[in-house]
Amino acid sequence: MKKIAIVIADLELGGGQRSALNLASALSKDHDVTLVIFQDTDMHYQSPCRQVNLNCPEKFGLFFKAYNVLKRTVKLKQHFRQEKYDYVFGFMESANYPTALAEPNSLLSVHCNPHELGFFETLLMKLTYPRAKHIIAVSEDVATLLREEYKMPAVSRIYNLVSFDDIQQQGAEPYSHPRPYIVALGRLSEVKRLDILIEAYAKSELQQHCDLLIVGEGECRPELEQQIANLSLQDKVILEGVQSNPFKYLANAEFLVLSSRTEAFPMVLIEALVLSCPVVATDCPTGPREIVIEGGNGLLVENENADALSKAMDRLYSDKDLLAHCRDNALGSVQHLSADEVVKEWLALGAQAK
């Protein structure tokens, strides 16, 4: 049995948080796992293992951000010295920076396209990531960027672990809607380009037969509400807000749509496929093209192209044979992301890091 720390800044709503918790849960079956966080505000998830809050919340402004990285590093060093973990795994950028500084044998999991980082975050990445023992990218495209553009030699790809049983259990919760519907799931932020999805839906034929449910919350809600009103779609496009169980929406949807401008390895695509829900996704940099099998479990469309997205949605909905084929193949297309295989990869790299 190994003693393992998983460091993540918070347990707010997000795919990276779900990925960390899924790994913690899987590892906890045979190992002593501690989830180390920096703040416990707006917690959306429950930890499946022991949890330690270092009480070092997020700060804003360049000076305060830099100071906070150092403060988190000191607190992590103290904690690691006391606990003497066998393996330390960092998750996502805000946790990775101090983790790399505090523990040279750490593994860092990168959950974003590095091109999406600001100047300060990019500088921190270049200064801190080489100090860690190994970098784990959640997609091949992200791994290639880190190796070739940022010259980081110790980089491997491990896909996000998905808890099939948990997703299917939550997906079985009863849910009904007056009309057939398609669904989008994620934060209402600019990078998700839900405005393009709403525009595509407005242009589509399927709006006559299907509603569009958008599950999530975020800073773009006012703009999206205004767009919906301008298009007179208030009775067809429903902003559902944050839901404790989003999977019940996926289980009953015609298909899921991902309209993001950029991703790393979008968990929502995997979660939909686990529930035999086909997908339509933009072929954005890093992620979707490693998940979506064109005509096999869904459709890929040109990034940030509302017309192409509209045509793909119409095609998948109207072609019932294609829709059924994608539904039948969905679960099988993600079997390689089961817990056993992903845990083996993490532990093997952890052993090499010591």
Side-chain angles (χ1 to χ4, degrees):
M1 176 181 288
K2 298 296 183 181
K3 190 173 183 180
I4 302 171
I6 294 179
V7 185
I8 189 166
D10 56 62
L11 294 181
E12 294 181 8
L13 183 67
Q17 286 86 346
R18 291 200 302 279
S19 177
L21 291 170
N22 287 341
L23 181 62
S25 179
L27 286 168
S28 295
K29 294 176 181 177
D30 299 303
H31 302 281
D32 180 8
V33 181
T34 299
L35 195 71
V36 182
I37 62 175
F38 296 124
Q39 62 187 52
D40 60 3
T41 54
D42 299 322
M43 288 181 60
H44 188 81
Y45 307 105
Q46 294 294 321
S47 174
C49 58
R50 176 192 177 215
Q51 179 178 301
V52 172
N53 178 17
L54 297 184
N55 193 27
C56 197
E58 182 181 13
K59 301 293 183 184
F60 300 95
L62 187 60
F63 172 80
F64 293 107
K65 283 184 176 181
Y67 173 76
N68 212 34
V69 171
L70 296 176
K71 184 178 179 181
R72 288 178 171 184
T73 299
V74 170
K75 289 200 170 192
L76 280 175
K77 278 187 175 181
Q78 293 172 342
H79 179 71
F80 293 159
R81 194 178 301 121
Q82 292 170 356
E83 295 291 336
K84 295 181 172 57
Y85 294 106
D86 295 301
Y87 303 150
V88 173
F89 302 153
F91 264 74
M92 303 172 65
E93 284 60 42
S94 55
N96 284 342
Y97 307 139
T99 300
L101 294 172
E103 175 49 68
N105 287 324
S106 58
L107 307 184
L108 308 180
S109 183
V110 177
H111 285 251
C112 77
N113 181 339
H115 289 163
E116 290 299 306
L117 298 175
F119 172 79
F120 180 64
E121 286 75 18
T122 300
L123 177 62
L124 280 176
M125 180 185 71
K126 291 179 178 179
L127 291 174
T128 61
Y129 281 21
R131 294 175 177 269
K133 198 71 173 182
H134 209 90
I135 310 298
I136 296 173
V138 295
S139 72
E140 290 287 0
D141 285 343
V142 170
T144 299
L145 278 174
L146 291 171
R147 292 189 199 105
E148 296 182 358
E149 187 170 334
Y150 296 93
K151 309 304 179 185
M152 296 183 185
V155 179
S156 298
R157 186 271 297 149
I158 299 180
Y159 289 132
N160 284 333
L161 181 151
V162 179
S163 178
F164 285 35
D165 290 343
D166 288 347
I167 292 170
Q168 290 168 341
Q169 181 178 355
Q170 293 181 67
E173 181 180 323
Y175 174 75
S176 62
H177 186 76
R179 292 209 308 165
Y181 65 89
I182 61 174
V183 65
L185 197 161
R187 183 168 177 79
L188 309 187
S189 61
E190 188 276 333
V191 73
K192 300 300 183 183
R193 294 314 310 264
L194 293 165
D195 58 322
I196 287 180
L197 171 56
I198 293 169
E199 179 186 350
Y201 175 79
K203 295 178 176 180
S204 73
E205 295 293 330
L206 71 81
Q207 67 155 301
Q208 305 303 323
H209 313 284
C210 260
D211 289 340
L212 167 60
L213 308 187
I214 300 176
V215 181
E217 196 54 81
E219 62 274 14
C220 288
R221 173 180 274 272
E223 292 92 334
L224 297 176
E225 288 178 333
Q226 186 61 56
Q227 181 186 15
I228 292 166
N230 291 345
L231 293 168
S232 301
L233 292 173
Q234 297 96 321
D235 60 337
K236 295 181 179 180
V237 180
I238 298 98
L239 301 180
E240 297 281 354
V242 173
Q243 299 291 325
S244 59
N245 177 12
F247 302 120
K248 65 183 180 182
Y249 294 89
L250 294 174
N252 294 283
E254 298 296 309
F255 52 86
L256 170 118
V257 185
L258 180 100
S259 54
S260 298
R261 173 169 52 81
T262 184
E263 290 280 353
F265 191 74
M267 287 285 286
V268 67
L269 291 182
I270 308 299
E271 291 159 345
L273 294 169
V274 167
L275 292 168
S276 297
C277 175
V279 298
V280 175
T282 51
D283 188 17
C284 62
T286 78
R289 71 190 64 157
E290 296 178 43
I291 301 169
V292 181
I293 302 168
E294 179 69 18
N297 60 13
L299 300 175
L300 275 176
V301 302
E302 182 181 358
N303 197 16
E304 297 191 278
N305 185 330
D307 289 334
L309 185 59
S310 181
K311 290 176 183 177
M313 293 191 300
D314 278 342
R315 178 189 170 198
L316 189 56
Y317 182 76
S318 62
D319 188 337
K320 299 306 181 185
D321 289 339
L322 175 62
L323 185 63
H325 177 72
C326 290
R327 192 177 301 280
D328 289 343
N329 290 334
L331 178 58
S333 70
V334 292
Q335 286 291 346
H336 62 291
L337 300 173
S338 63
D340 289 345
E341 294 304 313
V342 176
V343 164
K344 287 177 185 177
E345 293 182 84
W346 272 94
L347 292 176
L349 278 179
Q352 293 175 23
K354 299 306 288 183

